[in-house]
Amino acid sequence: MVTENSMELENQAFLSNQDITGEAPKLLLCSSIASGSDQGSNEGITSMAGIGKEYPELSWYYLYLSNKELKRYISVFSGRKSVRLRTPSGTIEERFFCFKVFSYTATDHRKRFEQCAYTKEEYTMRRDSVRIVKEAFATGSTRKLNTLTDEKGIEGNGWVFVCAPLGQLECILSAMLPRQYLVTDYNTHRAAVIPQRQMEEFIYLYESMPYNIELMNRPLEDYLQKKQRIRITGGVFRGKEGCIMRLHRNTRLVFAFGNMTVAVSYLHAFPFEKID
């Protein structure tokens, strides 16, 4: 068995030798404005029973993967499959982990548009998903949140978001081949972090009205230039700062969730004030 001290030393070794030179897509770059404007995001959560050992950590990390690898890593991160780790003594040990996970692919997002029917059934489906998101984050339930992500039905390449200790993630990534790397922060060149509350907001938004959001391919700072800046004053996004701009003939509110830049339709639904 691996002791806590030996695992800690092993994790430190992985972190000190972390290779972040791998090519990563330019989507979801870091926004220093978003990082600095969302104080208090790291609020505590309570861990509930899951498949494997749960880690009630507060920050989310993410990777961009091909469809095949995306499914494989979701299975490992969610505790459905084990990972083979080499102990300091040289023996191989199979271990299960159970982290909160969430996935996003442009293909799956587009399917929601194409298959969207403005029916009572569609409304019920969205309402049930939102309820799961609220309950999962309110209770800290890993299992409940992970019911939203079925890797078998995922189509296309995309992102897997995982809430876990960075050392544990590096340990897993080092043991799986071909080696994959976490997306890095655009400014610090370290593993990019999305605070707990911001990830909750993104999942809530995507599950409740996926047809009204779009992930942008540049940091928020690029969109703020010569645009009217605003601050949302009410609702779940209270305190968020962004800008108003026209995209695809529609007026959108563009702002950031941690390292993600998101455009939201139906601007009139958000009370806001202008920032000089």
Side-chain angles (χ1 to χ4, degrees):
M1 296 295 292
V2 181
T3 65
E4 183 176 353
N5 289 336
S6 64
M7 280 298 296
E8 180 64 26
L9 291 174
E10 188 177 5
N11 291 338
Q12 290 177 3
F14 283 130
L15 288 174
S16 63
N17 295 314
Q18 183 181 11
D19 181 359
I20 58 174
T21 60
E23 182 180 359
K26 295 183 179 180
L27 189 64
L28 309 188
L29 295 178
C30 175
S31 170
S32 58
I33 292 179
S35 300
S37 64
D38 219 2
Q39 301 299 322
S41 290
N42 294 338
E43 299 177 356
I45 56 176
T46 305
S47 176
M48 302 285 283
I51 303 174
K53 184 177 181 181
E54 293 194 3
Y55 299 87
E57 302 299 325
L58 304 178
S59 297
W60 291 70
Y61 304 92
Y62 52 102
L63 305 83
Y64 186 86
L65 301 168
S66 66
N67 182 257
K68 181 179 180 181
E69 293 299 289
L70 185 66
K71 295 179 179 181
R72 184 163 75 107
Y73 275 78
I74 289 175
S75 295
V76 170
F77 289 150
S78 61
R80 297 185 181 98
K81 289 185 179 180
S82 64
V83 60
R84 295 168 62 85
L85 301 178
R86 184 178 297 276
T87 68
S89 63
T91 60
I92 301 298
E93 178 186 70
E94 277 200 6
R95 293 188 59 186
F96 285 87
F97 296 83
C98 186
F99 305 135
K100 292 183 176 71
V101 296
F102 191 76
S103 69
Y104 174 91
T105 75
T107 302
D108 287 331
H109 195 169
R110 186 168 58 251
K111 280 174 55 182
R112 296 199 180 196
F113 283 88
E114 297 170 348
Q115 299 177 3
C116 176
Y118 294 94
T119 63
K120 183 177 180 180
E121 288 73 21
E122 173 71 16
Y123 173 80
T124 301
M125 184 185 304
R126 297 274 66 82
R127 183 190 60 190
D128 291 345
S129 294
V130 169
R131 176 180 53 78
I132 291 174
V133 173
K134 288 183 176 180
E135 291 178 356
F137 279 98
T139 63
S141 173
T142 296
R143 176 174 290 178
K144 186 178 290 293
L145 183 65
N146 289 355
T147 60
L148 296 172
T149 303
D150 180 8
E151 66 271 22
K152 296 179 181 178
I154 293 175
E155 296 184 16
N157 307 331
W159 307 90
V160 56
F161 301 90
V162 54
C163 183
L166 181 58
Q168 294 287 346
L169 285 180
E170 285 298 317
C171 183
I172 295 171
L173 294 176
S174 297
M176 297 177 66
L177 298 175
R179 179 69 191 273
Q180 305 291 341
Y181 298 95
L182 297 171
V183 172
T184 54
D185 188 291
Y186 185 69
N187 295 319
T188 67
H189 303 293
R190 297 179 180 178
V193 173
I194 302 176
Q196 174 80 8
R197 194 184 75 189
Q198 293 174 341
M199 194 66 208
E200 177 181 357
E201 291 167 345
F202 173 71
I203 296 175
Y204 175 89
L205 185 63
Y206 184 68
E207 290 296 329
S208 61
M209 49 180 183
Y211 11 81
N212 294 341
I213 70 172
E214 178 182 354
L215 292 186
M216 310 301 287
N217 60 1
R218 299 201 304 274
L220 178 62
E221 291 94 329
D222 291 356
Y223 300 97
L224 290 177
Q225 299 177 12
K226 299 181 180 179
K227 298 291 192 307
Q228 174 62 61
R229 295 183 60 181
I230 67 169
R231 179 185 296 113
I232 302 175
T233 59
V236 67
F237 305 125
R238 181 178 180 180
K240 296 294 182 187
E241 296 182 7
C243 64
I244 302 173
M245 61 184 295
R246 289 185 65 83
L247 291 170
H248 316 306
R249 300 182 181 179
N250 294 319
T251 300
R252 304 285 189 93
L253 171 63
V254 177
F255 60 116
F257 290 123
N259 299 292
M260 297 181 289
T261 304
V262 180
V264 185
S265 302
Y266 295 101
L267 179 64
H268 60 272
F270 300 94
F272 64 87
E273 62 182 3
K274 295 181 180 180
I275 303 174
D276 296 329

